[in-house]
Amino acid sequence: MNLAIYCIGGTVLALLLLVWAMTRLEYRIGSRHLKIQLLGFTLRQISLEEIRAAHKRDPRGFAERWYNTFHPSHRLVTIERPRGMRRRYLCITPKNRYVFLNELRQAVRRVNPECEWANRNMAEDQTSFISAPLRSDQNPGASGHPTP
């Protein structure tokens, strides 16, 4: 009986420690690397030169996910890397994702001036998404409702 209580207590304590540690993840942009740190110790390090793109959309598939919150939907930043032995996408949740994306864009531009993604500004990214041309089967007046 005592052994079962110790096992349950140890499991609960380990889960609480894991949840606490998850909320202490930090994301730092250095001069050459993006670092994921826990209490000052680097857990994961990604070279800024190998970042192909970063955006706010979920990759909807296999990705390396480093969340520091329980509700990542409005804080999600997806970092895209070239294919290789490792996973292609890395998902993180910084506090202010637009500020973080801007700082990451500037750091990548500083390290790799030829990077196409880093040389676009945030407004161009958002307008290219909004002003995508209509396909031929997407006629705005074909919905059955008259257009004004």
Side-chain angles (χ1 to χ4, degrees):
M1 184 66 172
N2 281 341
L3 182 61
I5 291 173
Y6 287 135
C7 288
I8 292 171
T11 303
V12 168
L13 185 64
L15 287 174
L16 287 174
L17 184 64
L18 186 67
V19 167
W20 175 81
M22 184 186 97
T23 61
R24 298 297 181 252
L25 281 177
E26 295 178 352
Y27 314 106
R28 306 273 174 150
I29 300 173
S31 60
R32 291 269 180 216
H33 296 90
L34 168 66
K35 297 178 183 179
I36 300 171
Q37 297 181 330
L38 176 66
L39 302 175
F41 295 104
T42 302
L43 301 177
R44 184 77 167 91
Q45 184 171 314
I46 296 104
S47 174
L48 293 175
E49 293 173 349
E50 72 177 27
I51 294 177
R52 187 181 341 177
H55 47 81
K56 63 179 187 164
R57 294 177 298 278
D58 191 11
R60 301 282 185 225
F62 292 113
E64 196 175 330
R65 299 181 189 268
W66 291 90
Y67 295 161
N68 64 357
T69 183
F70 293 110
H71 303 287
S73 63
H74 294 291
R75 290 174 54 178
L76 184 71
V77 171
T78 302
I79 297 170
E80 189 175 336
R81 299 176 296 142
R83 288 190 184 265
M85 292 295 287
R86 296 182 180 141
R87 294 190 174 163
R88 183 176 180 181
Y89 297 106
L90 177 85
C91 298
I92 58 175
T93 53
K95 277 206 186 301
N96 299 313
R97 72 171 159 185
Y98 294 110
V99 173
F100 187 85
L101 275 170
N102 194 27
E103 290 174 358
L104 183 63
R105 187 181 302 263
Q106 290 173 356
V108 169
R109 187 181 308 135
R110 189 176 54 244
V111 172
N112 186 5
E114 292 87 28
C115 182
E116 180 183 327
W117 162 78
N119 289 324
R120 291 188 309 218
N121 62 18
M122 296 290 277
E124 287 176 3
D125 276 349
Q126 291 174 358
T127 56
S128 67
F129 174 72
I130 294 170
S131 65
L134 290 174
R135 295 189 318 246
S136 61
D137 61 337
Q138 287 182 326
N139 187 355
S143 64
H145 300 291
T147 55

